Amino acid sequence: MKTKADKGALLALLSVICIYALSFVGVEYCTAHMSTMLIATVRLTIAGSILLIFCCIRYKGLHFEKKDAIKIICIGAFIMGGYMNFQSYGIRQISSPMTSLILAVVPVLGLLADRIFNGVKITGAKVIAIVGSIVGVALLVLTTGEALKGSATGVIAIFICAVLWASYIILTKDIFNKYNLVQVMALIQLSAAAMSLPAVFVFDKPIFMEPDPVLFGALLGTALISSIAAELLYAYSISKLSVTIVSMAENMLPLVTVLFAWLLLGTTLNVYQIIGGLIIIGSVTVITVKE
């Protein structure tokens, strides 16, 4: 990328990937006390409420054109809310390697979306880079010893997540360029929380926790760091970078997670994971240079 703005957006995107990977630690603690869907709903509610309070103080409320406000609400309720709910259901039905492999198709959807909606040319180098990133993810997740297993409904749910992830990038790009990012994220997250809350009791079996300061701290921390800081950085990245580059972040996530596990938890990296990681890094570099 040539400009300072683009470099800043790339740095923001890399920061998002690192935050998402690290936030898994807090989420893992919470899952011992609450269901995954309830965790997501509580985090969205906390984050959306904090952002709304900030907007009321700083900007005297939320300010959108009516048609855009409706669009933002729909994005929050059906795209982000839908993603959270389908993901919560899917990860209970299929193994982690299968989840990662299905979500690895997000860059493919991003590349097609760039072509259809933005007229961006699909080059051989981009195709090879995206296929390479998928191969890299496969090497990372299929050599951990965990089997590919799960139900058909779980596979469908995670594939829907992949479509929703790509749709979020496509549908929010113009919105993030037009309006204040904090105001947009406040409305998106509150809309997602409003959609997710009924789903918790209809489709989930929520686990209710005993009062636990550590649990509340983990929920608040992941809401502040992952649901607010990371989402705002992600929104900035979407506004400045192509759909193809942003969608490649999905295939960087397994790599960063494995690296953090190696650095912080002392897990072992095998040669296939190292090769897979290098392929992913090379693929992302090719996509970035070609853009």
Side-chain angles (χ1 to χ4, degrees):
M1 310 303 288
K2 303 290 186 181
T3 66
K4 291 183 178 180
D6 287 335
K7 290 179 180 178
L10 286 170
L11 180 60
L13 187 58
L14 181 60
S15 300
V16 170
I17 298 165
C18 294
I19 292 171
Y20 282 164
L22 286 173
S23 70
F24 288 157
V25 177
V27 173
E28 280 296 315
Y29 178 84
C30 295
T31 54
H33 303 268
M34 305 168 67
S35 64
T36 54
M37 196 177 291
L38 184 58
I39 292 168
T41 303
V42 171
R43 284 173 54 189
L44 285 169
T45 303
I46 293 173
S49 299
I50 291 173
L51 290 173
L52 178 62
I53 292 170
F54 176 83
C55 289
C56 288
I57 295 173
R58 178 67 177 81
Y59 306 113
K60 308 302 180 185
L62 304 177
H63 307 286
F64 308 106
E65 295 178 17
K66 184 177 180 179
K67 62 180 179 63
D68 289 331
I70 294 173
K71 180 179 179 179
I72 294 168
I73 291 171
C74 290
I75 290 172
F78 300 110
I79 304 298
M80 179 177 280
Y83 178 87
M84 294 292 184
N85 291 320
F86 279 110
Q87 182 193 49
S88 297
Y89 174 80
I91 60 177
R92 296 199 308 268
Q93 303 296 317
I94 65 177
S95 62
S96 296
M98 185 173 287
T99 299
S100 296
L101 283 177
I102 296 171
L103 290 178
V105 305
V106 169
V108 177
L109 301 175
L111 183 65
L112 293 174
D114 249 351
R115 174 59 183 167
I116 295 169
F117 296 103
N118 301 320
V120 177
K121 185 178 180 180
I122 297 178
T123 64
K126 289 181 181 180
V127 172
I128 292 171
I130 289 176
V131 172
S133 74
I134 295 173
V135 172
V137 171
L139 287 172
L140 276 172
V141 303
L142 295 180
T143 58
T144 60
E146 188 175 352
L148 286 175
K149 59 182 180 179
S151 67
T153 55
V155 171
I156 293 171
I158 297 301
F159 182 76
I160 292 173
C161 284
V163 174
L164 290 174
W165 188 318
S167 299
Y168 180 81
I169 299 170
I170 297 162
L171 294 174
T172 56
K173 190 171 183 64
D174 290 340
I175 292 292
F176 288 148
N177 276 308
K178 185 175 181 180
Y179 293 105
N180 179 280
L181 296 180
V182 179
Q183 295 186 45
V184 175
M185 287 310 305
L187 189 53
I188 285 178
Q189 297 210 12
L190 287 175
S191 301
M195 174 62 76
S196 296
L197 186 58
V200 170
F201 298 97
V202 175
F203 302 108
D204 200 13
K205 294 181 180 178
I207 305 170
F208 295 98
M209 66 289 186
E210 296 293 330
D212 181 351
V214 178
L215 175 62
F216 290 132
L219 287 170
L220 180 60
T222 54
L224 290 172
I225 297 172
S226 183
S227 299
I228 294 181
E231 290 298 333
L232 287 173
L233 287 171
Y234 194 52
Y236 176 74
S237 301
I238 291 173
S239 70
K240 299 297 182 182
L241 301 172
S242 73
V243 175
T244 302
I245 289 181
V246 176
S247 63
M248 284 291 283
E250 168 56 35
N251 287 355
M252 286 288 290
L253 188 54
L255 170 60
V256 176
T257 302
V258 167
L259 288 177
F260 279 150
W262 174 60
L263 290 170
L264 303 178
L265 304 177
T267 59
T268 302
L269 288 177
N270 61 52
V271 64
Y272 297 107
Q273 290 177 311
I274 294 172
I275 294 171
L278 292 174
I279 291 174
I280 292 172
I281 292 171
S283 299
V284 172
T285 301
V286 169
I287 288 288
T288 303
V289 170
K290 290 300 179 182
E291 290 289 331

